[in-house]
């Protein structure tokens, strides 16, 4: 197993030294230098693949977060006893630990194996990245769903029971559809957080957008600012479009809300 | 049948006592954690009065010997001694983590208030404020740190007055990064809180002859900032956790030191789990303290009723 | 008291913690009867109603519905509720569903009807309460009176053998009460068995076969409306009726 986490830090150290040496005397060239921009665009493909990986990582993590987080939120509202306690403790731990620590623990400690899918294999860094980001997201999504589920008026559940639905059916057909819609704003927020935090898999050497940008500017240190501004722009476009798309979704599935139903 | 409620009460009482035992343990652990940190820091500042600087507060050998004598714990004696040996490094890293978080949070707040006020009540400046917050909230924090450190190479431009404060100037770059980023998030929270203050409050302020700015300062902010406390607590917790990203621009805070020790000793599991626990302790402390603050500054009869 | 009563409530008692909210409540109904429970707020009448479909659990006594013990621990409460419709004071319409969706949910999920059949049944029932033109409206788009009529249609769609009404008009503006009472009158004419908690004394007077006056969890007095309203035996009943009347 490679020591990617440590490598990332060590590299940062040496590159930092290079950066400060080269800058002695001359102020950094602001956004100028045509040659540096040319370097960026020449490598746009390379960064594009990184952006795709960023998107894939985000989608996979959000999905995992939903699959684990939604039941977890339901357990926190409707469960009891040791299961509820275990879920809430796991949530506190995952929400109280920096994502970089979670990722590194997944990578080194859990020692996620490489997954072979036949056509392609998923590296252990990718698996660790999805697990780390996904489980952390599950801990936050569970809070979003918990709040949404408990915000649905108790009379709704009662009315569901009164026409003969079982408790599970009443939750499933009456409370959950309303709660899911109400959790959209929180979910939207969570989506952009995960998208931005995929950059932190840099710590385990996963070659997504930021890591690729880092590799590029380590190669041509005069283009540092150009490269980072370029990838930042990509991130911004991604978060911006995601937000607008989810706004649309929210409008489309909105139900007329009044003071009482 | 009338006594059917009895068993529930008993079960509740058991659960209640379980909870209070848990709370007591948590408080004890917190006291131990902060006691250890503060004594370690003080020992360092005064030049090693208690134990030589860089030495653990209790000798690892003694810990190992003690634990070896306890049946059931003997197997963990060597690990415990190893952990004790690392405590000075952890304490040093945590100091920087705490300082970076606190300073960035404070400075960020100073920027965030005008940012939020101008967003709500300004005209052209509202757009400037919007652009700033959208840009900073729309890009990864790590990329922002890279811009400041690698892109602009700010570590070599730290003003003389500040450059002696920390062992490495790059700490200031990290603080700048967290301040600028945190200000954007804090401004969003404060904006939301300001908008939740009733319109009539401003009208009433203007009616007694206050200027618009005075009304905002004396009437709206004192209410709005109180409403902002819960979400502000969130930002506090986020900052504690994300301060770990400073490691990637070579700031020797908690995560950086943990990573270094891990790569020297190859004990990844133990060290990173321990690091997680350290952050968790900081985060839990912050949220407990903020809950107290919220209770202390609450306006009677306003806002959500607090339990307990 | 005969053995073939359709609903027989006998000595029902209930506590919330240490506080007793129902004390030995008894009354009977025949099929097609309308019984109205009246009493001051906090008298336990809503709780009594909820015990009948087990939304609240009585701890002592017996409730026989069509010969079956409602309070039996072996009883499937979902089966019970399928046969007993309920209308709530606060409507409790499913906020995410249209009027049609609200009424169709039970037939679809509980009775297992196809989407088309459930939809058709919903339309019939909404027509029955005079809302054929509001099929696709969401609860927030309806007036209070319309909401409550959807609530009644929702209960009727399960073809219940007993309908429970929990202060169906208390949350309504005065000008909207009439349309709901009109629908309820219609049900009486059709021979529906109804147990109603209400403050609408004129409604009770017109349609009730029996009026039960509850106070502090106990049945103070019960009887046909003209007797109970005109010549109450108990002083407390008279005082309560005077207080209500002075508000009208």
């Amino acid at each position: 197993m490679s020591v990617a986490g440590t490598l990332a830090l060590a590299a940062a150290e040496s590159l930092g030294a290079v950066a400060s040496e080269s800058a002695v005397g001359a102020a950094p060239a602001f956004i100028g230098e045509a040659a540096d921009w040319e370097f960026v665009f020449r490598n746009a493909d390379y960064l594009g693949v990184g952006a795709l990986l960023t998107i894939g990582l985000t989608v996979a993590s959000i999905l995992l977060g939903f699959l684990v987080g939604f039941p977890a939120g339901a357990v926190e509202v409707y469960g009891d006893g040791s299961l509820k306690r275990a879920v809430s403790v796991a949530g506190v731990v995952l929400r109280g630990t920096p994502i970089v620590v979670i990722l590194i623990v997944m990578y080194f400690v859990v020692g996620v194996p490489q997954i072979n899918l036949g056509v392609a294999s998923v590296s252990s860094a990718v698996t660790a990245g999805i697990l780390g980001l996904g489980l952390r997201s599950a801990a936050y999504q569970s809070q979003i769903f918990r709040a949404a589920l408990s915000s649905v008026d108790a009379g709704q559940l009662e009315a569901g029971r009164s026409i003969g639905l079982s408790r599970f059916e009443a939750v499933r057909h009456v409370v959950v559809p309303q709660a899911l819609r109400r959790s959209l704003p929180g979910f939207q927020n969570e989506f952009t957080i995960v998208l931005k935090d995929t950059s932190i898999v840099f710590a385990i050497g996963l070659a997504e957008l930021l890591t690729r940008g880092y590799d590029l500017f380590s190669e041509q240190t005069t283009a540092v600012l150009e490269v980072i501004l370029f990838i930042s722009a990509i991130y911004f476009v991604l978060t911006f479009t995601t937000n607008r798309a989810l706004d649309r979704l929210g409008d489309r599935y909105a139900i007329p809300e009044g003071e009482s139903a | 049948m009338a006594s059917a409620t009895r068993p529930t009460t008993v079960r509740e009482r058991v659960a209640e006592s379980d909870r209070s035992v848990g709370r007591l343990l948590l408080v004890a652990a917190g006291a131990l954690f902060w006691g250890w940190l503060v004594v370690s820091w003080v020992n360092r500042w005064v030049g090693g009065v208690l134990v030589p600087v860089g030495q653990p507060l209790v000798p690892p050998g003694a810990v190992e010997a003690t634990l070896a004598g306890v049946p059931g714990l003997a197997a963990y004696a060597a690990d415990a001694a190893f952990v004790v040996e690392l405590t000075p490094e952890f304490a040093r890293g945590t100091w920087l983590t705490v300082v970076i978080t606190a300073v960035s949070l404070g400075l960020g707040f100073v920027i965030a208030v005008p940012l939020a006020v101008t967003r709500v009540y300004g005209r052209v400046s509202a757009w400037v404020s919007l652009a700033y917050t959208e840009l900073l909230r729309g890009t990864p924090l790590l990329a922002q740190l890279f811009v400041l450190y690698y892109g602009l190479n700010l570590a070599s431009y730290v003003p003389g007055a500040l450059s002696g404060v920390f062992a490495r100037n790059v700490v200031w770059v990290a603080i700048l990064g967290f301040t600028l980023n945190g200000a954007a998030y804090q401004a969003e929270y404060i904006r939301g809180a300001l908008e939740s203050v009733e319109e009539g409050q401003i009208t009433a302020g203007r009616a007694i002859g206050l200027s618009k700015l005075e009304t905002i300062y004396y009437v709206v902010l004192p209410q709005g900032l109180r409403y902002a406390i819960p979400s502000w607590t969130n930002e506090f917790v986020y900052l504690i956790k994300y301060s770990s990203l400073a490691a990637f621009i070579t700031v020797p805070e908690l995560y950086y030191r943990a990573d270094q020790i891990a790569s020297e000793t190859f004990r990844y599991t133990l060290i990173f789990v321990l690091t997680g626990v350290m952050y968790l302790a900081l985060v839990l402390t912050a949220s407990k303290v903020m809950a107290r603050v919220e209770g202390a500054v609450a306006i009677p009869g306003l806002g959500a009723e607090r339990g307990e | 008291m005969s053995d073939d009563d359709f609903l027989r409530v006998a000595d029902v008692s209930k506590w919330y913690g240490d506080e007793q909210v129902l004390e030995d409540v008894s009354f009977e109904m025949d099929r097609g009867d309308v019984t109205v429970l009246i009493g001051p707020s906090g008298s336990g009448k809503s709780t009594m109603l909820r015990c009948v479909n087990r939304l609240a659990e009585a701890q002592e006594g017996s409730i026989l519905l069509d010969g079956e013990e409602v309070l039996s621990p072996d009883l499937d409460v979902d089966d019970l509720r399928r046969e007993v419709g309920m209308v709530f004071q606060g409507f409790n319409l499913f906020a995410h569903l249209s009027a049609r969706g609200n009424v169709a949910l039970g037939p679809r999920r509980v009775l297992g009807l196809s989407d088309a059949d459930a939809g058709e049944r919903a339309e019939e029932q909404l027509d029955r309460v005079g809302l054929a033109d509001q099929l696709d409206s969401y609860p927030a788009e309806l007036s209070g009176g319309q909401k409550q009529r959807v609530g009644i249609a929702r209960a009727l769609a399960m073809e219940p053998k007993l309908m429970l009404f929990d202060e169906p008009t208390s949350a309504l503006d005065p000008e909207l009460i009439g349309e709901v009472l009109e629908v309820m009158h219609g049900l009486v004419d059709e021979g529906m068995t109804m147990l109603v908690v209400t403050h609408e004394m004129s409604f009770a007077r017109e349609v009730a076969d029996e009026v039960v006056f509850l106070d502090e969890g106990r049945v103070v007095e019960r009887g046909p409306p003209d007797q109970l309203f005109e010549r109450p035996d108990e002083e407390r009943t008279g005082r309560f009726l005077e207080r209500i009347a002075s508000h009208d």
Side-chain angles (χ1 to χ4, degrees):
Chain A
M1 183 180 283
S2 81
V3 280
T6 332
L7 278 184
L9 281 193
E13 194 104 41
S14 61
L15 194 60
V18 170
S20 29
E21 274 164 28
S22 68
V24 175
F30 271 81
I31 323 180
E33 297 303 331
D36 291 331
W37 279 112
E38 201 215 324
F39 172 74
V40 172
F41 292 124
R42 207 171 348 113
N43 290 292
D45 283 359
Y46 179 70
L47 292 176
V49 173
L52 285 180
L53 207 59
T54 293
I55 294 170
L57 207 54
T58 306
V59 171
S61 307
I62 284 287
L63 226 55
L64 176 63
F66 181 81
L67 290 178
V68 178
F70 185 76
V75 165
E76 287 203 47
V77 178
Y78 299 109
D80 54 9
S82 51
L83 179 64
K84 181 179 178 178
R85 205 174 306 177
V87 165
S88 72
V89 167
V92 168
V93 169
L94 283 168
R95 289 190 299 275
T97 314
I99 182 64
V100 62
V101 174
I102 296 173
L103 287 170
I104 214 99
V105 165
M106 289 294 162
Y107 189 70
F108 284 115
V109 178
V110 181
V112 209
Q114 179 161 323
I115 296 174
N116 211 322
L117 293 174
V119 269
S121 65
V122 179
S123 80
S124 50
V126 171
T127 319
I130 293 173
L131 271 181
L133 287 165
L135 291 179
R136 203 262 316 232
S137 182
Y140 279 103
Q141 288 190 42
S142 75
Q143 294 311 287
I144 296 169
F145 297 133
R146 184 182 61 86
L149 286 170
S150 32
S151 78
V152 176
D153 185 68
Q156 295 283 315
L157 189 65
E158 204 169 55
R161 299 302 310 269
S162 82
I163 56 168
L165 293 172
S166 70
R167 186 175 153 86
F168 178 79
E169 286 171 332
V171 170
R172 154 87 182 71
H173 295 297
V174 176
V175 182
V176 166
Q178 298 181 50
L180 280 182
R181 287 183 176 89
R182 284 186 200 184
S183 58
L184 245 168
F187 188 75
Q188 180 170 7
N189 200 21
E190 176 62 18
F191 207 106
T192 50
I193 287 176
V194 172
L195 178 58
K196 285 180 285 174
D197 278 357
T198 54
S199 62
I200 300 173
V201 298
F202 176 75
I204 52 175
L206 207 168
E208 47 62 71
L209 186 54
L210 185 83
T211 312
R212 283 177 181 238
Y214 183 89
D215 292 346
L216 275 189
F217 72 65
S218 320
E219 193 182 305
Q220 184 158 340
T221 48
T222 55
V224 172
L225 193 60
E226 287 81 358
V227 171
I228 308 177
L229 288 181
F230 186 76
I231 62 168
S232 296
I234 297 180
Y235 277 114
F236 185 74
V237 169
L238 287 178
T239 51
F240 191 82
T241 46
T242 306
N243 269 323
R244 290 299 90 79
L246 288 175
D247 277 344
R248 280 279 182 84
L249 195 73
D251 291 344
R252 183 150 169 216
Y253 288 102
I255 34 172
E257 293 250 16
E259 70 289 4
S260 72
Chain B
M1 278 297 272
S3 61
T5 51
R6 276 285 125 146
T8 339
T9 345
V10 171
R11 210 180 323 150
E12 275 168 2
R13 217 175 295 146
V14 171
E16 189 57 47
S17 71
D18 257 14
R19 237 170 285 148
S20 64
V21 167
R23 201 170 302 157
L24 211 65
L25 277 175
L26 213 60
V27 169
L32 195 68
F33 175 75
W34 283 101
W36 158 65
L37 276 180
V38 170
V39 172
S40 300
W41 296 339
V42 170
N43 181 56
R44 195 168 186 88
W45 297 330
V46 297
V49 171
L50 295 171
V51 292
V53 171
Q55 293 294 309
L57 295 178
V58 285
V63 172
E64 186 166 5
T66 317
L67 283 185
V70 183
L73 290 179
Y76 305 105
D79 282 343
F82 177 69
V83 169
V84 170
E85 222 170 311
L86 300 178
T87 50
E89 278 293 288
F90 270 98
R92 272 180 82 187
T94 307
W95 168 246
L96 211 48
T97 290
V98 169
V99 168
I100 291 175
T101 305
V103 174
S104 308
L105 195 69
L107 292 178
F109 180 72
V110 171
I111 300 176
V113 171
L115 217 51
V117 168
T118 191
R119 175 82 190 280
V120 177
Y121 303 105
R123 276 187 292 271
V124 181
S125 53
W127 287 100
V128 176
S129 168
L130 174 69
Y132 177 85
T133 45
E134 285 298 301
L135 216 57
L136 274 280
R137 280 157 35 91
T139 52
L141 176 54
L142 193 53
Q144 290 163 17
L145 290 177
F146 279 10
V147 168
L148 298 180
Y149 182 66
Y150 295 121
L152 300 174
N153 191 27
L154 286 185
S156 32
Y157 297 97
V158 173
L162 298 177
S163 78
V165 179
F166 299 109
R168 293 193 199 175
N169 282 342
V170 68
V171 175
W172 285 112
V173 180
I175 289 177
L176 180 67
F178 294 135
T179 300
L180 294 179
N181 179 276
Y185 283 93
Q186 292 192 49
E188 268 309 277
Y189 295 139
I190 297 171
R191 177 181 69 93
L194 289 183
E195 283 171 349
S196 71
V197 176
E198 278 175 78
E199 193 73 31
Q201 297 285 318
I202 295 179
T203 318
R206 300 305 297 276
I208 59 165
L210 293 173
S211 72
K212 188 169 179 189
L213 213 60
E214 284 170 334
T215 308
I216 292 170
Y217 188 80
Y218 292 112
V219 179
V220 179
L221 278 177
Q223 300 178 38
L225 291 182
R226 282 185 172 87
Y227 295 147
I229 291 177
S231 45
W232 196 76
T233 303
N234 259 345
E235 177 57 22
F236 189 2
V237 165
Y238 269 71
L239 199 51
I240 292 173
K241 293 189 292 171
Y242 284 99
S243 69
S244 57
L245 297 187
F248 295 97
I249 58 167
T250 75
V251 174
E253 45 65 77
L254 178 54
Y255 179 76
Y256 184 93
R257 291 195 188 272
D259 192 273
Q260 275 196 328
I261 301 168
S263 63
E264 281 162 18
T265 59
F266 297 102
R267 307 218 38 192
Y268 296 101
T269 314
L270 185 62
I271 284 161
F272 285 119
V273 167
L274 214 58
T275 311
V277 172
M278 297 282 297
Y279 277 106
L280 194 58
L282 294 178
V283 163
L284 288 178
T285 309
S287 45
K288 294 271 180 260
V289 167
M290 288 312 297
R292 283 282 170 86
V293 170
E294 193 187 347
V297 301
I299 305 169
L302 256 192
E305 288 291 312
R306 293 195 57 83
E308 291 177 290
Chain C
M1 195 187 286
S2 62
D3 276 341
D4 53 333
D5 289 323
F6 177 62
L7 177 73
R8 188 162 80 187
V9 175
D11 300 322
V12 166
S13 294
K14 175 170 177 57
W15 289 260
Y16 283 122
D18 292 333
E19 193 195 350
Q20 185 159 16
V21 289
L22 292 177
E23 190 179 334
D24 297 328
V25 174
S26 304
F27 60 91
E28 303 84 30
M29 291 174 75
D30 280 332
R31 205 180 290 271
D33 270 3
V34 176
T35 296
V36 173
L37 301 179
I38 61 170
S41 59
S43 59
K45 49 196 195 307
S46 284
T47 307
M48 182 58 243
L49 195 74
R50 279 155 188 262
C51 286
V52 176
N53 71 346
R54 296 266 301 263
L55 280 179
E57 294 290 352
Q59 280 123 358
E60 275 178 13
S62 150
I63 300 177
L64 282 179
L65 175 64
D66 222 358
E68 245 190 295
E69 179 55 66
V70 166
L71 300 185
S72 156
D74 301 329
L75 179 102
D76 184 333
V77 290
D78 297 334
D79 285 343
L80 168 72
R81 289 170 188 164
R82 175 176 317 183
E83 298 181 329
V84 179
M86 178 152 189
V87 175
F88 297 88
Q89 177 180 356
F91 323 128
N92 292 354
L93 293 190
F94 305 132
H96 64 303
L97 298 175
S98 65
R100 189 206 321 257
N102 262 278
V103 181
L105 185 70
R108 226 170 84 207
R109 299 290 173 194
V110 180
L111 303 181
L113 266 58
S114 71
D115 282 8
D117 290 348
E120 204 171 305
R121 185 180 286 202
E123 284 167 29
E124 283 164 22
Q125 296 305 329
L126 285 166
D127 189 34
R128 191 171 170 189
V129 298
L131 286 174
D133 55 341
Q134 299 285 354
L135 297 175
D136 295 312
S137 300
Y138 281 89
E141 297 168 329
L142 298 171
S143 74
Q146 291 173 326
K147 281 182 201 174
Q148 195 56 296
R149 285 190 278 153
V150 174
I152 294 172
R154 178 173 68 185
L156 289 175
M158 302 298 292
E159 296 177 341
K161 56 186 183 188
L162 170 68
M163 284 281 283
L164 307 174
F165 290 84
D166 187 8
E167 302 199 30
T169 57
S170 296
L172 296 176
D173 292 333
E175 73 272 19
L176 300 176
I177 291 176
E179 57 188 85
V180 172
L181 291 182
E182 196 181 319
V183 169
M184 291 172 67
H185 268 288
L187 292 178
V188 175
D189 294 342
E190 290 172 27
M192 176 66 74
T193 314
M194 293 161 63
L195 181 57
V196 184
V197 172
T198 187
H199 292 295
E200 292 296 321
M201 293 307 152
S202 54
F203 176 80
R205 206 183 286 251
E206 284 165 39
V207 304
D209 296 290
E210 184 174 61
V211 177
V212 179
F213 174 55
L214 280 170
D215 193 14
E216 293 177 346
R218 273 193 300 264
V219 176
V220 177
E221 186 172 357
R222 43 185 282 221
D226 43 350
Q227 183 215 313
L228 193 122
F229 285 125
E230 306 305 334
R231 308 174 298 278
D233 290 334
E234 299 289 326
E235 194 199 334
R236 263 198 288 178
T237 317
R239 271 210 310 269
F240 171 74
L241 290 172
E242 270 168 38
R243 235 183 10 249
I244 289 281
S246 67
H247 282 290
D248 281 342

